[in-house]
Amino acid sequence: SGLTMKPVFAKAKTQPVRVIYAEGEDERVLRATQVVLEEKLARPILVGRPSVVETRIKRFGLSIKAGRDFDLVNPEDDPRYRSYVQSYIDLAGRRYMSHLRHVREIIGFLPGVSDYAALALMITSTGAHFLADTQVRPNPSAEELAEVASLAAIHAQRFAFKPKVAFVSHSDFGSYDTDSSRKMRRATQLLKDKHPEIEADGEMQGDT
């Protein structure tokens, strides 16, 4: 994945921002923090108990140090913690929310976007493939599919890829005439009409 992420890392270096790791005691987070610092990708803030973080840094042989290399928020007594919790409550209320509601109520949508969708990056020996929507919308309309495809294409460009969109179906260019295949056909045309700059085709089967 390193080659695929290279354009993202390069852009991150030009404008380093703060990145908060909620699971600051986790080994993967601590190792990632060291890489982020070595590559000058961001300014890390970790949430975790200082004694636990320090012990695990030593155990894993890492060279980072809280206070010197990254900020550490102690959930047990850091005064900022209450402030962060209050800010969160002000934004989201006291409801027990799913992670999708976190996105809606805290991060929000781009102007004109109707709903969220999941985008997965799959890297194989033949290259990188972006799949959408992989888990959010159970039965999207043709209009929604076209919107998801256009947004996925924008994200692909962030990885320095020229997107090519395939609307995948059980049908291959009219081999079946079902509600599902007609919907995919219509989504393809909607995307072409609204975004003629994006190369797109469908409906098509996965192997096609």
Side-chain angles (χ1 to χ4, degrees):
S1 64
L3 188 62
T4 302
M5 292 297 295
K6 193 173 181 181
V8 179
F9 292 156
K11 189 171 183 180
K13 287 181 180 180
T14 64
Q15 290 181 309
V17 298
R18 290 178 297 170
V19 176
I20 301 172
Y21 295 94
E23 304 292 339
E25 299 172 2
D26 187 276
E27 178 182 358
R28 294 167 302 171
V29 169
L30 293 170
R31 291 188 183 280
T33 298
Q34 176 147 321
V35 174
V36 165
L37 288 164
E38 289 172 349
E39 298 292 327
K40 297 181 172 59
L41 299 176
R43 297 188 296 276
I45 300 174
L46 275 60
V47 178
R49 294 163 293 179
S51 60
V52 176
V53 170
E54 184 179 357
T55 299
R56 292 183 179 175
I57 286 174
K58 290 178 180 177
R59 181 193 305 167
F60 305 139
L62 303 175
S63 60
I64 55 178
K65 184 177 177 61
R68 182 190 68 192
D69 301 310
F70 62 90
D71 291 333
L72 184 62
V73 175
N74 182 359
E76 294 182 334
D77 66 5
D78 193 307
R80 293 174 296 180
Y81 193 71
R82 286 184 180 276
S83 173
Y84 296 156
V85 170
Q86 187 58 51
S87 296
Y88 175 77
I89 291 172
D90 291 343
L91 280 170
R94 290 184 175 271
R95 297 177 297 281
Y96 291 103
M97 301 190 303
S98 72
H99 64 286
L100 295 178
R101 286 180 180 161
H102 288 295
V103 175
R104 179 190 294 276
E105 299 182 10
I106 296 175
I107 299 174
F109 297 134
L110 287 172
V113 175
S114 63
D115 203 354
Y116 28 52
L119 179 66
L121 169 58
M122 181 173 67
I123 302 172
T124 71
S125 58
T126 61
H129 306 273
F130 294 84
L131 309 177
D133 171 9
T134 53
Q135 67 186 65
V136 177
R137 307 188 196 196
N139 186 24
S141 66
E143 289 76 13
E144 288 177 307
L145 288 166
E147 177 186 80
V148 168
S150 66
L151 293 171
I154 292 171
H155 282 292
Q157 290 171 337
R158 290 179 173 173
F159 290 82
F161 290 111
K162 182 181 179 182
K164 295 181 179 182
V165 177
F167 285 90
V168 180
S169 169
H170 68 286
S171 175
D172 206 38
F173 299 103
S175 61
Y176 289 89
D177 190 29
T178 63
D179 289 343
S180 174
S181 63
R182 287 193 294 270
K183 181 169 65 172
M184 284 297 186
R185 228 169 293 155
R186 174 166 162 71
T188 304
Q189 193 57 52
L190 287 170
L191 182 66
K192 288 182 175 181
D193 292 344
K194 192 169 184 179
H195 296 281
E197 76 282 2
I198 299 176
E199 185 177 348
D201 213 344
E203 84 288 8
M204 67 178 72
Q205 294 172 346
D207 55 348
T208 303

